[in-house]
Amino acid sequence: MSDQTAIESVLTEERVFPPPPEFAANAHIKSFEEYEKLYAEAADDPAGFWAKQAEALHWFKKWDTVLKWKEPFAEWFVGGKLNISYNCLDRHLTTSRKNKAAIIWEGETGEIKTITYLQLHQEVSRFANVLKSLGVKTGDRVALYMPLVPALAVAMLACARIGATHTVIFGGFSADAIRDRVNDCQCKVIVTADGGYRRGSEIRLKDVVDEAVEHCPDVTDVVVYQRTGSQIKMRPGRDHWWHELTKTVDADCPAEELDSEHPLYILYTSGTTGKPKGILHTTGGYLTQTVYTSKVIFDLKDEDIYWCTADIGWVTGHSYVVYGPLANGATVFMYEGAPNHPAPDRFWDIIERHKITIFYTAPTAIRAFIKWGEQHPLKHDLTSLRLLGTVGEPINPEAWMWYHQIIGKGNCPIVDTWWQTETGSAMISPLPGATPTVPGTATRPLPGIVVDVVTKSGKPVGPGEGGYLVIKHPWPSMLRTLWGDDERYKQAYWSEIPGMYFAGDGARRDKHGYFWIMGRVDDVINVSGHRLGTAEIESALVSHEAVAEAAVVGRPDELKGQAIAAFVTLEGGRTGNDELKDALRTHVAHEIGALAKPDDIRFTDALPKTRSGKIMRRLLRELASGGHVAGDVTTLEDLSVLEKLREDEE
Ligand code: WT7
C-alpha cells in the first residue's frame, strides 16, 4: 500500500443478486443503464440535475440560483420560497390522495389509528395555530420529546408550517440530555406527552421534562399530548394539554412562504468528545433530496404501505418516516413499541395484518431477529412485502442473506442505504429496479452525489484498497452548519482532508465501483502495521453458525501494536467454551486470513449499544484494554449490559 494511512480490506463477497425482472419493469428506475445514464448526466451538470428534482416540489416562488458554494457553506435554491408542510399536505388535497391514508399507526397496546391527508392537514393547521397562540414565531425553536405517535409528526409539520425550527429529542433520553439540547438552541416551548409504551411498560415522559425544565430558563410553555392517561403534574401557567389548546383555535392556518434556506430542524448527534453537535438542516435542498431519494430508493407508489421502523427521534425518522414519504403522498405505517412485545413475532404479525409492502430497518434489529429464531417470521404470511431496506451500520453478509431469504423469500430487492445525520438523506444505495446487489455493500452513489475513497492527503486509492470515505461536491440535503458554531462545523467535517467533506467512515471501492463501508475510522485496528476495519472481522465472526452478534476492538499489544479482542453473543441454545473459541479463530483465519484471528474472544449475553442501536466500541475498547471504563456512558441504552461485562471481567 502506497499510503500508510489507508485501511486494508480483507473481505471478499461474490454473490450477486440482480433486480427481479418484474420489479425492474415496474420500477421508477428500470435498469442499470438508466442509472448510469442519470449518474453521468448529473455528474456533468449537478446544478441542472438537482434543479430538475426540485421541480417536483411546490414553490411559492422559484429560485434564482441553484447553488451558492463557498466552502464549507452551501446555499441551495437561493431566492426560492416554499413550505414543507404545504408540500407534505396541502398539495395532495387537490388530488385523489385527499382521502388516502397518510399515516396508519399501531400502538404497542394494540390500538390502530388511520389519518387521511385531509385529516392530517387539519390537525397540523390546528396545532400550528396552537403554537402561534403560545407566541411561537418564525425562526423560534421548539423541542419535541414524544413517544412514537402521529402527534409527533403533527407537531413537526406544524412547526414547519409556521417556520419554527424543531428539535426532536428521542423519547429515551434523560432529563440532562433534554436540558443540554433545549438550552443549546434556546427553545421557548417543549411539546411532550404524559408517556408512551415500550416493552409493556409505561415510559413517563412528562416527569422527565419536569426535571429538565427546572434548568431551562428560556422555556415558557410545555404542551402535553395525552397518550397514556396516567396521573402527571401540570404546572398552571406553564403546562397545557394539547387537546384543550387545540379546541381554542381554528383549523385554518395558511403555510408561511419561507426562504429555501430557512432552518427546518436541528438534530443533535453525539460527538466523540464534549457536548452534542446540533446538526442544522434547512428547507428547499433538504426536501428536494429526501423527496427524490424516497421515490427512487423505496420505489414509492401510491398503493404502497411503507414502514420504516426508525424512531422519529433519529434522522431516519425525520427524512424517511415523515418528510420524504409524506411529500411523495405515500401511506406511512408507524408502530409505537418494541419488536418483541408481546412476543418476538410482533413485526411479522404487523406486516401480515397491515400488508406492509416496503420495510426499512437496521442491521442491529435484523441480528436480533436472527437470534430470536426464524420460527417467528415463518409463522406469518409476509408475501405483501416487495422491497426491503437497511440503514445505520454495515450489514454483515450473513444477516443480509437471512433478511433476503427468510423475510424477502428471495423475491425482494434489498436497499442498503449509506448516509448520516449530517447528510440528511441517503447518498450511497442500490436502486431496487436497477442495481444488482451484493450482500454487505451499499453499492453505488446516487445520481448527483460525488463520493470517493481517499488517503489522508486526499489522493484516491485504487480498487479494493481501503481509505477514507469523502464527499467531493456539495449536495442539497447536506447539513449547513452546527447550530451556533460555524467553527466547530469546519473543524469537524472539513479540516481532516483538504477540500472534501469527511465524517469518519472508512471504506473501499471494489472493481465494480461498489462501496463497502468498513466502519468508523476511529474503530480501525492496527495489527502489525495492517489497518483492519472492525466491520469485516465482525462479519466473518457472524458468518459462523454459532454466532449471533460480534463486536471487535483493538487493545494495546507490545508485539503487534494492537491485538484483536472480540466480544461475541451466541445463537440461542449455544454455550461458549474454549473449543468454540478455537473454532471461531480458525473460522476467521479461513474467511479473512491468519492476520485477523482474534487474540481474545469473550462470550457475553449482550453488547453495549447506543439508543439508536450502534455498538459502543469505545466502551469495549476500554474494557479490553484493562477493564476500566472511564468515558461518557450517557448514550448507552442499557447500563446493566456494561455492568455484566465488568462482572465477567472479575
Ligand atoms: C453512520 C451515521 C443514516 C441514518 C442512521 C444513522 C453508519 C449508516 C450505513 C450503511 C454502513 C452505515 C456510518 C455512518 N452507517 N448507514 N448502510 N452501511 N454504515 O445515522 O447516527 O448519523 O450514523 O452510520 O458509520 O457514518 P447516524
Side-chain angles (χ1 to χ4, degrees), residues 533-554:
T534 51
E536 297 185 324
I537 309 174
E538 286 161 7
S539 176
L541 281 164
V542 176
S543 71
H544 188 281
E545 34 101 27
V547 177
E549 197 161 30
V552 162
V553 296

Side-chain angles (χ1 to χ4, degrees), residues 103-113 145-152 170-172 192-205 225-230 307-314 321 332-342 346-347 350 353-354 356 359 611 637:
I103 297 174
I104 301 176
W105 172 83
E106 181 165 313
E108 195 184 73
T109 38
E111 61 274 59
I112 291 165
K113 204 167 167 179
Y145 180 71
M146 298 185 72
L148 215 171
V149 291
L152 174 50
F170 172 57
T192 186
D194 45 4
Y197 294 102
R198 181 92 193 162
R199 214 156 283 144
S201 33
E202 187 189 340
I203 314 286
R204 292 178 56 88
L205 298 173
Y225 177 80
Q226 193 168 43
R227 160 68 185 118
T228 61
S230 296
W307 182 17
C308 163
T309 67
D311 193 279
I312 294 175
W314 313 122
V321 177
V332 174
F333 177 80
M334 290 180 190
Y335 167 60
E336 175 188 35
N340 54 353
H341 189 82
R346 181 65 182 262
F347 275 18
I350 286 175
R353 279 186 292 109
H354 292 277
I356 303 292
F359 180 67
R611 290 170 191 279
E637 201 217 349

Side-chain angles (χ1 to χ4, degrees), residues 269-270 279 310 314-317 320 360 363 390-395 415-426 428-429 440-442 469 501 503-506 515-521 523 535 610 612 614:
T269 66
S270 43
I279 308 293
W314 313 122
V315 72
T316 310
Y320 297 116
Y360 186 35
T390 75
V391 62
E393 282 175 277
I395 179 165
V415 287
D416 173 354
T417 61
W418 178 87
W419 56 295
Q420 309 174 304
T421 306
E422 290 87 344
T423 69
S425 340
I428 307 178
S429 170
T441 162
L469 181 63
Y501 168 91
D505 284 355
F515 286 79
W516 296 75
I517 311 301
M518 294 160 69
R520 309 286 300 170
V521 291
D523 294 334
T610 64
S612 60
K614 288 196 169 71

